[in-house]
Amino acid sequence: MLAIRTQFSNHFNYNAALVVKSPGRINLIGEHIDYNHGFVLPAAIDKFIEVAIGKRADGAIHMVAADLGETIIVPTHNLVPHPTAWVNYIIGVVDQVLNITHATTNNFIVTDNNTPSTKINVPTNETNLAAGFDICIQGNIPLGAGLSSSAAVECAVLFALNELYSLSLTKMQMALMAQQAEHKFAGVHCGLMDMFASLHGQKNKAILLDCDSLAFTYYPLALNDYSIVLFDTQIKHALASSEYNTRRLECERGLRIIQEKYPTIKTFRDISLEQVEECLAFNANTKNEMNEDKVEETTTIEKTAKVYQRCKYVVEEIRRVQLAVQDLAKGDMQAFGKKMFETHKGLSSLYEVSCPELDFLVQAVSNNENVLGARMMGGGFGGCTINIIKKMAVEEITKKLSASYAQLMHKELAVYITSIEEGTHLVA
Ligand code: GLA
């Protein structure tokens, strides 16, 4: 990989104004609950996207994806989703910045403490973002592995624009804008975790994000004899984003049903397991008594049964993360690891976002005394499992697992031993 500054000057014949590096992320626990007002525990890792950027004056954005050898040019006026996927992560955030005045009035910009929005400097005429820019991107985050390469691109670009045009955005504002960009330009109704983690990461620390208040706390990750190892199924399911959006809708539906009975409930945070049973489980059980001929009715009831399963998982996972954080604070990594296995079970059987390859990888290490915890990570339907493994056993476990994965799943296992690194930053 050539240095990003060299890539930029080779391509544009002048030196980049600045370079930004933005990492991918892991998530220790708290999966699929960032969009359900839960808690997540992510950290930034040693895989990253770099961007080099410089201003133009002709109203165009020239984008170079160095790894792919692709160049795309679009005008800054009338930005709309582009058929080339990676382009959307760049123009999506440009669209956010250009619409910043609307954004503040639409009230999705909040500051780090969830206090009312601070004023954002809209770019002035001399430094006008609408006049365009050149940008070159490259990175080493494996695509589709569930390590948030798209969020890393969005955060790197937004951070670079923030510096280049002196926008004075806070990191939380940038995270919220990147999330909106993903909704609008990539069509994935993701939560805030990925962007938040990429921007806020700190070396050797996990971050507990309260996805309701947006308050966050850093937890030192003293893993001592243990490593965080990611096993990449190398499976990238096309269904992932449509199923992701469906899960969101199923959860919203469950919440609405529970709120009908308990109108004071605002979010999943306020719901007990008993209430899930009371309001949703009855419908699930009725399925068994259904007349098989009534296909339409069965389908509706099956959907309701799914709603029950999704909500049960969400309520359990919210509670589990709260307990896992106590384990972490006490340094009880055994107890923490057990909860990771429980999360996997819930994601696989109740939330149904796993796949045979992910289940295989978790199952294969579940009785290994050198593995504290393992589970699928991120959106699911492929991507990685996250494992906490005793350092001295990593090599042997990796070797055995790679062989059995190849034999039984007919795929090559990719393995990443990760370190926890700093979030999005300028590179000197
Ligand atoms: C994806 C989304 C996140 C989060 C995870 C699941 O990574 O982008 O917002 O919902 O899935 O925890």
Side-chain angles (χ1 to χ4, degrees), residues 4 81 137 147 232 376 399 407-408:
I4 189 82
I137 73 172
L147 302 178
D232 184 352
M376 58 147 280
K399 223 166 137 190
Q407 196 191 0
L408 297 165

Side-chain angles (χ1 to χ4, degrees), residues 25 27 30-35 40 146 148 188 190-195 244 378-380:
R25 61 104 190 87
N27 182 27
E31 214 64 271
H32 280 280
I33 54 170
D34 57 346
Y35 54 86
V40 291
S148 298
V188 181
C190 64
L192 188 62
M193 172 171 74
D194 305 347
M195 300 79 188
Y244 186 94

Side-chain angles (χ1 to χ4, degrees), residues 74-145:
V74 299
T76 55
H77 64 85
N78 189 27
L79 291 174
V80 287
H82 196 274
T84 305
W86 62 266
V87 170
N88 288 312
Y89 306 127
I90 301 176
I91 61 176
V93 295
V94 175
D95 174 69
Q96 286 295 309
V97 177
L98 289 173
N99 286 309
I100 230 160
T101 28
H102 304 296
T104 44
T105 50
N106 282 347
N107 201 24
F108 70 70
I109 294 212
V110 290
T111 57
D112 297 10
N113 297 317
N114 208 21
T115 51
S117 150
T118 44
K119 184 152 174 8
I120 294 167
N121 297 326
V122 180
T124 64
N125 280 338
E126 307 131 66
T127 55
N128 196 349
L129 171 59
F133 59 90
D134 294 317
I135 190 162
C136 189
I137 73 172
Q138 68 179 12
N140 63 3
I141 307 177
L143 302 180

Side-chain angles (χ1 to χ4, degrees), residues 61-76:
I61 308 174
H62 286 226
M63 294 165 274
V64 176
D67 305 318
L68 306 174
E70 286 176 11
T71 302
I72 304 272
I73 303 172
V74 299
T76 55

